[in-house]
Amino acid sequence: MPLAGVTVAVQGRSDSGSSAITDADGRVALTAGVGVDVVLRLSKPGYTDQVKRLSLPGAAGSDASFQASLMPRAAPQTLADAAAGGTLGRSDGAGVVLPPAALVDAATGAAVTGPVQVTLTPVDVNAAAVAAFPGRFEGVNGDGSTTPIVSFGTTEFLFSQGGRPLQLKPGARATIRLPLYASLELGGAALAVGGKLPLWSLDERSAQWINEGQGALVADAASPTGLVMQAEVGHFSWWNADKGYTPYRPKPKCINDVPGQYDSIFEQATLCKMLAEMDRPIPAQGSAAPGTAGRPWP
C-alpha cells in the first residue's frame, strides 16, 4: 500500500531537488544527475530504513524510476543502564548481549550511560516482508569480488538514547542472534546446529552487503526454524545470514553445425540475434520459496 511521509534522499548530496517526501500516493520526484549510479536512502519514523541503488540514464531530461518497501520497526525495548550492559531478546529468537560501558553517541563518540532504547527488527525472507529486505541481494567478499547472495534471515539492530543514534565504541564487541527463516540450502541440504553461515552487514553508502566472517548455528526454540545464527560484531546495523552463489544461466552460442543449413547470411544473422537476446542477463527481484533461502529470482 502507498506510504506517505517517507523522506527520500540521494546519499552524499544536499543540493536542491536531491531529497523529497512521498505524497499520499507514495510517490516522490528527485533530481539526481545524469549517467551515474546513486544510492537513495528512505526513512520514516516507526519504519525500518531502506537503501536503493539506482542507475540513472545518460541523457539529460530522461527519467529513471524505482520502487521500495519499508516495514514497521519493532517496538523498542529498554536497556536499564548502558554502563552495566545487559541482554535483550525477542519472542522470535532475535537478541543481543551488550558488554558494560560499550556504547557511545554515534555522532560525537561520547560515552553513554543510563537507559537506552533498543529495537530488533527481523525480516522474514519467506514472507511478503522480504520486499523490505534492505539494499541489494548482492554481497562483497573479503577479496573485493561481488556475488549474488541468498538470505536465511536478516535483522536490524538499532540503539538510541533520546532519539540520538548510538554505536559500539571502537574495540568493543557485542553478541547478536539472528533468527533463521529458512532451514534448507539451495541444494536441499538441511542446516544443523554446529554449522556455520557467512555473516554480512549492510553498507548503506553502496546498498551492498559486506562479508564480515561467519556466525555459528545454535538451537533456539523461539526461532521459526528452531535455529539462530550467533556472532560477535563490532558495530550495529542490519546484519544478515547469507550465502553467495553462482547463478545458473544457459549460454547459447551461435554456431552453424551443418554447412549449408542456412540459405543466406541474413537467416544466420537473425538466429544469432535471437540467441543473443536469450543470453541477456535477467534483472533480479527479491523473492523466496517456502523453506528455502530468500534470493533474487531467477
Side-chain angles (χ1 to χ4, degrees), residues 67-131:
Q67 290 184 332
S69 296
L70 281 67
M71 65 181 290
R73 190 167 270 152
Q77 304 179 59
T78 299
L79 182 70
D81 185 7
T87 300
L88 291 173
R90 284 173 43 103
S91 60
D92 52 20
V96 60
V97 180
L98 185 73
L103 290 177
V104 295
D105 186 292
T108 67
V112 173
T113 60
V116 299
Q117 289 68 55
V118 183
T119 58
L120 311 174
T121 308
V123 174
D124 184 347
V125 295
N126 285 322
V130 74

Side-chain angles (χ1 to χ4, degrees), residues 24-261:
D25 294 323
R27 297 179 179 274
V28 68
L30 300 169
T31 302
V34 176
V36 295
D37 285 356
V38 296
V39 175
L40 305 179
R41 182 183 182 88
L42 296 87
S43 58
K44 178 181 171 70
Y47 289 80
T48 58
D49 291 344
Q50 178 64 277
V51 287
K52 287 290 182 182
R53 192 175 188 91
L54 186 64
S55 295
L56 300 178
S62 299
D63 292 332
S65 62
F66 72 95
Q67 290 184 332
S69 296
L70 281 67
M71 65 181 290
R73 190 167 270 152
Q77 304 179 59
T78 299
L79 182 70
D81 185 7
T87 300
L88 291 173
R90 284 173 43 103
S91 60
D92 52 20
V96 60
V97 180
L98 185 73
L103 290 177
V104 295
D105 186 292
T108 67
V112 173
T113 60
V116 299
Q117 289 68 55
V118 183
T119 58
L120 311 174
T121 308
V123 174
D124 184 347
V125 295
N126 285 322
V130 74
F133 183 90
R136 291 177 160 185
F137 280 92
E138 181 179 79
V140 180
N141 295 309
D143 61 4
S145 62
T146 59
T147 178
I149 55 175
V150 296
S151 179
F152 296 82
T154 183
T155 300
E156 181 194 48
F157 293 82
L158 183 67
F159 284 67
S160 64
Q161 186 180 65
R164 295 182 63 84
L166 307 179
Q167 264 299 346
L168 287 170
K169 68 181 181 182
R173 306 284 289 178
T175 300
I176 61 171
R177 283 192 164 204
L178 308 178
L180 301 187
Y181 292 87
S183 58
L184 299 177
E185 303 261 16
L186 284 178
L191 301 179
V193 172
K196 293 182 181 296
L197 282 174
L199 174 69
W200 310 73
S201 68
L202 180 65
D203 180 355
E204 297 186 3
R205 299 165 300 178
S206 66
Q208 291 177 307
W209 292 89
I210 309 300
N211 180 252
E212 298 207 32
Q214 293 183 317
L217 303 185
V218 298
D220 191 325
S223 168
T225 58
L227 293 171
V228 298
M229 186 174 80
Q230 181 170 295
E232 284 195 354
V233 300
H235 62 96
F236 292 124
S237 63
W238 282 98
W239 286 94
N240 200 357
D242 274 353
K243 266 195 171 181
Y245 71 99
T246 301
Y248 171 76
R249 292 193 181 102
K251 297 289 184 181
K253 294 183 179 180
C254 182
I255 298 176
N256 185 0
D257 293 325
V258 182
Q261 181 177 2

Side-chain angles (χ1 to χ4, degrees), residues 265-279:
I265 295 177
F266 174 77
E267 289 181 8
Q268 185 163 349
T270 300
L271 179 62
C272 288
K273 182 178 179 181
M274 179 186 70
L275 292 176
E277 287 296 315
M278 291 171 59
D279 194 34

